[in-house]
Amino acid sequence: MEEIKGKNKRAPYWKQIIYILTIGWIVIWIYRTVLTPIYPIISDYFGGASDAQLGNISSFYFLGYVCMQIPSGLLVDKIGKKRILIPGFLLFGVGALIVGLAQSMNVVFIGSILAGLGCGTYYGVAYSLTAEHVPVSKRSLSTAIVNSGTAIGSGLGLISSSFLVGTGRLPWQVLIFVTVGLILLSILMFSRYIRADQPQQTKIIHTKEEAKPKLSLKALFKPRMVSAYILYFSTLYTYYLIDTWLPNFLETEKGFSGTSVGLASSLVFFTAIPGALIFSRLADEIPKKKIQLIILLELLAAAVLFLTVTTTNQTILVIGIMAYGFFGKLAVEPIIISWLGESAPKGSVATMYGVFNFFGMSASVIVPSLTGKISDLTGSKLYAFYLAIGIIGIGTLLFYLINQVFLKKDLDSK
């Protein structure tokens, strides 16, 4: 790979991409998690907002995010990654600034939608860059490293919020404004280090076969793809339940308080980093066993989550939180992404990842407000966790059945 010129030799471009994309995820996830440990403070600030309204802060953000997935994937494939990423992050910054300046919940919702629309450009850019530039033999591990930015950002968001705002040291708006500053620094970094790619329509066409690869809906909805979409939805449903409501659940139903809420919640994300690196390395070493590894991780995640939410012992609960992080979404996601990328339609990689993420992230729109409603109706969020565990089980079963049927067909046809 070509290296950037300079007095000192730098890492190959594919390695630089990994560092840059990791930082991008850190910033996005600081914003996503910074408000969740301080929902009671947000509620008081806006005159006693209900759990459903607080859940809507995340739901509106993810609504914008999900709505942008397929359009941004199409635009990335058509006009280039850098031309989509930078305007997207600018919109993200505008939305975050509106949230920080808001004086009513309705304005918070508007800012949340805009921030979500801006962040919605990132996923297709990130994983089409890794699919295009990272060597195949290192793709699962590289994806896991990029994904570790989500864990680091989540931990930083949760801890800083619970420590600085939850204990009364700072108003909640200050952390939002700090995030806006980080967004601006990220834009400068993207502008300097990400190379502008050549739009498809300007590439020199040598043969008829190379001319304008057509986007086929059939290619995007092969059984293999559909199984991944279903599994990703069920995986993210649980993950975003934890992301948006675990701090509140620990505080209101499990006896945690103050900084311990953020610290305990952040363990999910910090233990995810070694889990993701270990299992992604394993997946690269046994590429033909990725389906079995994916299923095993999903079942282990469901089992430890059940243990976590049903125990009354705080020590076991903390161990369960750590175990879910180790086996859960951040461990399995890089393997699913690399497995799916092996059969991505040519010329439509970003679009394929956009569709994939659209179905997965649909869960993030549903779960925050639905969990708030379940809590308002029943007085507990425990039933929302039971629902999430059931969804993991159903999604994993369907993933297994679909791939078994079509794997058998492939073997029979040989």
Side-chain angles (χ1 to χ4, degrees):
M1 285 274 181
E2 183 184 350
E3 295 181 352
I4 294 178
K5 295 179 180 178
K7 292 183 180 180
N8 299 316
K9 288 187 176 181
R10 298 184 183 181
Y13 183 54
W14 69 268
K15 289 186 178 180
Q16 294 179 43
I17 286 171
I18 293 170
Y19 307 146
I20 291 165
L21 296 178
T22 302
I23 292 169
W25 277 130
I26 290 172
V27 175
I28 289 172
W29 277 89
I30 287 174
Y31 175 79
R32 286 183 179 179
T33 57
V34 78
L35 296 183
T36 56
I38 53 168
Y39 275 166
I41 293 173
I42 303 294
S43 176
D44 290 343
Y45 183 85
F46 290 107
S50 67
D51 280 353
Q53 287 177 305
L54 294 170
N56 280 339
I57 297 173
S58 292
S59 286
F60 278 114
Y61 167 86
F62 288 121
L63 176 63
Y65 185 90
V66 169
C67 287
M68 186 56 78
Q69 290 309 295
I70 295 175
S72 70
L74 290 165
L75 288 169
V76 166
D77 284 329
K78 187 173 179 62
I79 67 174
K81 304 170 189 67
K82 192 170 183 177
R83 292 182 180 181
I84 298 301
L85 178 59
I86 291 175
F89 250 62
L90 282 170
L91 182 59
F92 172 27
V94 170
L97 184 62
I98 290 172
V99 170
L101 296 172
Q103 295 300 311
S104 72
M105 287 296 288
N106 287 336
V107 176
V108 171
F109 297 154
I110 291 169
S112 295
I113 291 174
L114 292 176
L117 287 168
C119 288
T121 62
Y122 195 74
Y123 192 95
V125 171
Y127 295 114
S128 59
L129 277 170
T130 57
E132 183 178 334
H133 295 285
V134 175
V136 174
S137 63
K138 304 192 184 301
R139 199 163 290 164
S140 292
L141 180 60
S142 297
T143 305
I145 293 170
V146 171
N147 268 15
S148 71
T150 72
I152 296 168
S154 300
L156 290 173
L158 290 167
I159 293 171
S160 62
S161 181
S162 59
F163 177 70
L164 295 173
V165 180
T167 57
R169 289 177 170 85
L170 290 174
W172 65 270
Q173 295 94 331
V174 171
L175 293 185
I176 297 293
F177 297 145
V178 170
T179 306
V180 172
L182 294 175
I183 293 167
L184 294 175
L185 290 174
S186 298
I187 291 168
L188 293 175
M189 179 185 66
F190 298 149
S191 178
R192 180 172 179 182
Y193 292 108
I194 293 182
R195 297 174 185 171
D197 47 0
Q198 191 178 19
Q200 287 183 12
Q201 64 266 32
T202 63
K203 290 179 181 177
I204 299 172
I205 297 169
H206 297 289
T207 66
K208 289 182 180 178
E209 287 75 15
E210 291 180 29
K212 294 181 181 179
K214 292 183 179 179
L215 177 63
S216 167
L217 285 176
K218 186 177 179 181
L220 291 172
F221 288 94
K222 290 178 180 177
R224 178 187 182 101
M225 305 286 188
V226 171
S227 73
Y229 302 159
I230 293 170
L231 185 69
Y232 202 45
F233 175 89
S234 62
T235 302
L236 294 197
Y237 187 95
T238 303
Y239 184 74
Y240 284 104
L241 170 59
I242 288 170
D243 176 54
T244 54
W245 282 110
L246 180 63
N248 184 269
F249 177 71
L250 295 178
E251 184 174 8
T252 59
E253 300 188 39
K254 294 297 181 179
F256 287 75
S257 61
T259 305
S260 65
V261 174
L263 288 171
S265 301
S266 68
L267 290 173
V268 170
F269 307 104
F270 289 130
T271 57
I273 297 173
L277 297 177
I278 290 167
F279 292 118
S280 295
R281 181 76 176 266
L282 180 61
D284 282 334
E285 291 177 357
I286 51 170
K288 294 184 179 179
K289 297 289 185 181
K290 284 183 180 178
I291 291 176
Q292 292 90 328
L293 184 57
I294 289 167
I295 291 170
L296 175 63
L297 289 173
E298 294 285 0
L299 294 177
L300 286 171
V304 297
L305 182 61
F306 180 79
L307 173 66
T308 300
V309 299
T310 55
T311 186
T312 56
N313 184 300
Q314 285 196 349
T315 302
I316 295 174
L317 190 151
V318 169
I319 293 170
I321 289 172
M322 295 171 67
Y324 175 80
F326 190 77
F327 296 117
K329 180 257 189 187
L330 291 173
V332 76
E333 183 180 39
I335 306 171
I336 300 173
I337 289 170
S338 64
W339 173 78
L340 191 61
E342 293 167 8
S343 55
K346 289 184 179 179
S348 303
V349 177
T351 303
M352 183 273 291
Y353 280 126
V355 173
F356 170 68
N357 205 36
F358 171 83
F359 283 103
M361 291 299 294
S362 296
S364 67
V365 179
I366 298 166
V367 72
S369 57
L370 178 59
T371 302
K373 288 176 183 175
I374 291 172
S375 176
D376 288 338
L377 289 171
T378 66
S380 173
K381 298 168 191 73
L382 187 60
Y383 301 102
F385 282 95
Y386 289 152
L387 175 61
I389 292 164
I391 288 172
I392 287 183
I394 293 168
T396 305
L397 178 62
L398 290 172
F399 177 79
Y400 168 77
L401 292 174
I402 292 171
N403 281 285
Q404 278 294 106
V405 167
F406 286 93
L407 181 62
K408 187 175 185 302
K409 283 186 178 180
D410 289 344
L411 291 173
D412 290 344
S413 63
K414 290 181 180 179

